[in-house]
Amino acid sequence: MSDILEKIKTYKLEEVATRKAAVPLTDVEAAAHEAPPTRGFAARLHEASRTGYGLIAEIKKASPSKGLIRADFDPPLLAKAYADGGAACLSVLTDTPSFQGDDSYLTAARSACDLPALRKDFMYDTYQVAEARALHADCILIILASVSDAQAQELEEAAIAWDMDVLLEVHDADELERACNLKSPLMGINNRNLKTFETTLDTTRTLSRLVPPDRTIVCESGLSTPAELADMARYGARSFLIGESLMRQEDVAAATRTLLANPLTAGGM
């Protein structure tokens, strides 16, 4: 595990313990049961990628490596802009120490449009999964580099029990092999090295060949142009998670629309 992930895991486990002490699991589960039905995150992404690209558009205020990304940060307005621009799904950062995120951003963004939403956070405990559903999330993230196989399976089963989808994030061949032992079809290939924070699309070019045909590749990090999306589509990735490059644009809707305007067709692959 990288130093940054180890640091995040340390404070995240402390955070979860504090939350458990403040709000019993039974209360979180009651709120989760009252949440509106899930919107079918994986299904929406799959449908969009059949004829175009399936974009998971990320609402992210800051990051550990880049600091503040967007000062005029309004999750509902950003969610609407992404929806207007043609995104299939949302990803909303809820981690505060490293990303300046907040739980309220997720609920507010999802309620502002009809897109399914991913709770983008570092998941270690099934308590967080129930929290995600209580916050109206339709999907959670499991980072294979940060959890054991037993933890990953436990988190995935909890998500399925709450009718949520799971995005499995991998960074290398070993993590990909582990992820293939799980049920979720969404295979997120992160092009960012979590140890050096360097980003290269070669990660997707290499790992895409190892992804079983029944899984959906979601290419993550380092993407900002239509040419890069077309390049990745040639390697079987027709779904993408993009945040920073869009978050830095003055007109987010127009930038999203431009990015998705001319998808590489299946015949061009």
Side-chain angles (χ1 to χ4, degrees):
M1 192 187 305
S2 70
D3 290 343
I4 184 66
L5 268 183
E6 191 62 56
K7 177 184 176 183
I8 289 171
K9 183 174 183 177
T10 298
Y11 76 65
K12 188 60 63 174
L13 291 175
E14 293 174 356
E15 177 186 298
V16 172
T18 300
R19 290 187 178 213
K20 281 182 169 182
V23 183
L25 176 61
T26 51
D27 289 0
V28 176
E29 290 178 335
H33 282 298
E34 291 298 318
T38 52
R39 292 173 174 173
F41 190 96
R44 194 80 66 94
L45 203 60
H46 176 71
E47 182 62 28
S49 65
R50 287 178 60 190
T51 54
Y53 293 144
L55 174 63
I56 306 171
E58 189 154 89
I59 295 175
K60 177 165 67 172
K61 186 175 184 179
S63 78
S65 58
K66 300 294 180 64
L68 183 67
I69 294 171
R70 189 179 186 94
D72 60 328
F73 187 76
D74 187 318
L77 283 180
L78 290 167
K80 290 177 183 176
Y82 279 143
D84 290 345
C89 301
L90 297 175
S91 169
V92 185
L93 267 297
T94 57
D95 175 77
T96 302
S98 296
F99 293 90
Q100 297 184 35
D102 191 83
D103 289 350
S104 65
Y105 297 164
L106 172 58
T107 309
R110 186 183 184 275
S111 65
C113 63
D114 67 350
L115 302 184
L118 163 75
R119 183 191 187 185
K120 187 76 174 291
D121 213 314
F122 301 86
M123 312 294 279
Y124 299 101
D125 193 298
T126 54
Y127 181 93
Q128 295 171 280
V129 182
E131 267 188 336
R133 188 76 279 268
L135 294 169
H136 304 177
D138 305 284
C139 184
I140 65 163
L141 176 73
I142 298 177
I143 302 173
L144 271 294
S146 197
V147 295
S148 67
D149 290 342
Q151 282 178 303
Q153 184 176 2
E154 184 180 45
L155 291 167
E156 182 184 57
E157 288 177 354
I160 292 171
W162 285 109
D163 196 33
M164 289 189 292
D165 290 307
V166 176
L167 176 60
L168 302 171
E169 183 173 292
V170 304
H171 307 82
D172 58 35
D174 288 340
E175 291 169 14
L176 176 58
E177 184 177 358
R178 291 171 55 212
C180 286
N181 291 323
L182 296 167
K183 298 175 182 177
S184 303
L186 299 181
M187 196 70 67
I189 299 178
N190 195 337
N191 297 304
R192 178 171 289 115
N193 184 315
L194 294 183
K195 295 180 181 179
T196 64
F197 273 91
E198 293 178 356
T199 302
T200 172
L201 298 182
D202 284 340
T203 304
T204 292
R205 294 185 184 104
T206 300
L207 295 184
S208 62
R209 298 183 173 93
L210 307 177
V211 177
D214 62 338
R215 305 293 175 115
T216 299
I217 298 173
V218 180
C219 184
E220 307 174 10
S221 301
L223 300 160
S224 60
T225 68
E228 288 169 340
L229 269 58
D231 182 10
M232 294 298 95
R234 293 185 179 93
Y235 289 87
R238 298 193 63 83
S239 293
F240 306 92
L241 192 154
I242 302 175
E244 185 179 330
S245 62
L246 291 173
M247 289 291 295
R248 292 187 184 280
Q249 302 301 313
E250 183 175 350
D251 189 332
V252 172
T256 305
R257 202 173 293 118
T258 298
L259 188 65
L260 299 174
N262 296 296
L264 185 73
T265 63
M269 295 171 63

